[in-house]
């Protein structure tokens, strides 16, 4: 029996994370990043390992990037081709949402081609109009992070999205 084990990523996972992302980046589904970007952001990542009878090793990764006091972004959600449809993405997303709650984020954003997947977990397509307080919008404009620009739906990033859908999950307070 094979178990899916979710854990925080370690620096030693960076080569495997790059290997998971590479085919999706070549297909234009995920953004290709320099190795240094993975090391700089390693604390944002969770990974899933397959432990047991089947393949052992990293089979999925995903990151939560905090953008503002109440807003985070799910990034770089990737699963090995051989493990798609077997709960890896669900495990990662649940872990990232739990992490969002733990750090005080109440809204989680994603930019995705996988609308059906994220919809199953409560994400909704965002309206074209930003619903951000003008003062917060002005602060977010100072960010150099492309994910923030995607969230704000700035014209400069539209050519780079390749038709991705902006989605948002409003987290309900836990009891």
């Amino acid at each position: 029996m094979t178990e899916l084990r979710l854990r925080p990523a370690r620096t030693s996972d960076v080569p495997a994370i790059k290997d998971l992302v590479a085919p999706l980046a070549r297909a234009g589904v995920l953004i290709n990043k320099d190795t240094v970007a993975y090391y700089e952001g390693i604390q944002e990542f969770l990974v899933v390992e397959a432990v047991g009878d089947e393949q052992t090793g990293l089979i999925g990764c995903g990151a939560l990037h905090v953008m503002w006091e109440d807003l985070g972004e799910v990034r770089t959600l990737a699963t090995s081709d051989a493990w798609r449809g077997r709960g890896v993405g669900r495990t990662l997303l649940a872990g990232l949402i739990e992490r969002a709650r733990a750090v005080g984020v109440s809204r989680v954003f994603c930019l995705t081609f996988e609308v059906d997947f994220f919809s199953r977990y409560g994400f909704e397509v965002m309206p074209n109009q930003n619903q951000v307080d003008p003062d917060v919008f002005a602060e977010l404009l100072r960010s150099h992070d492309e994910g923030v620009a995607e969230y704000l739906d700035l014209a400069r990033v539209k050519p780079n999205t390749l038709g991705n859908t902006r989605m948002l999950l409003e987290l309900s307070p836990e009891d």
Side-chain angles (χ1 to χ4, degrees):
M1 174 128 185
T2 301
E3 173 191 346
L4 299 182
R5 185 175 300 154
L6 179 71
R7 65 168 174 80
R10 298 185 286 259
T11 55
S12 59
D13 295 325
V14 167
I17 290 170
K18 285 186 58 96
D19 288 346
L20 285 168
V21 171
L24 297 167
R26 281 191 299 274
V29 174
L30 291 178
I31 296 171
N32 193 27
K33 296 178 185 175
D34 293 324
T35 303
V36 68
Y38 290 109
Y39 284 113
E40 289 174 341
I42 199 67
Q43 70 281 356
E44 297 180 350
F45 276 86
L46 294 176
V47 295
V48 171
E49 298 173 304
V51 180
D53 299 339
E54 292 187 57
Q55 169 189 344
T56 302
L58 242 63
I59 57 171
C61 65
L64 175 73
H65 179 76
V66 175
M67 297 167 70
W68 196 251
E69 173 185 14
D70 64 339
L71 181 65
E73 179 185 10
V74 170
R75 293 183 170 179
T76 320
L77 192 62
T79 301
S80 164
D81 275 342
W83 284 85
R84 287 218 175 93
R86 297 172 66 183
V88 177
R90 177 183 63 237
T91 299
L92 283 163
L93 188 57
L96 295 170
I97 290 170
E98 181 179 316
R99 186 177 265 193
R101 281 192 171 102
V103 298
V105 168
S106 60
R107 297 179 302 148
V108 180
F109 161 76
C110 70
L111 185 67
T112 185
F113 289 104
E114 300 295 334
V115 174
D116 292 340
F117 172 80
F118 282 96
S119 292
R120 285 195 300 269
Y121 301 101
F123 282 77
E124 296 180 357
V125 175
M126 290 177 59
N128 288 335
Q129 183 179 15
N130 281 309
Q131 299 175 350
V132 178
D133 178 90
D135 292 336
V136 173
F137 187 88
E139 287 290 330
L140 288 173
L141 282 176
R142 295 178 183 167
S143 174
H144 298 288
D145 188 281
E146 288 299 301
V148 172
E150 297 285 4
Y151 175 76
L152 296 175
D153 201 27
L154 300 180
R156 71 177 171 83
V157 294
K158 289 189 186 298
N160 299 324
T161 62
L162 304 172
N164 297 19
T165 299
R166 297 163 61 238
M167 299 185 79
L168 188 69
L169 173 66
E170 300 274 346
L171 299 177
S172 58
E174 289 189 315
D175 299 7

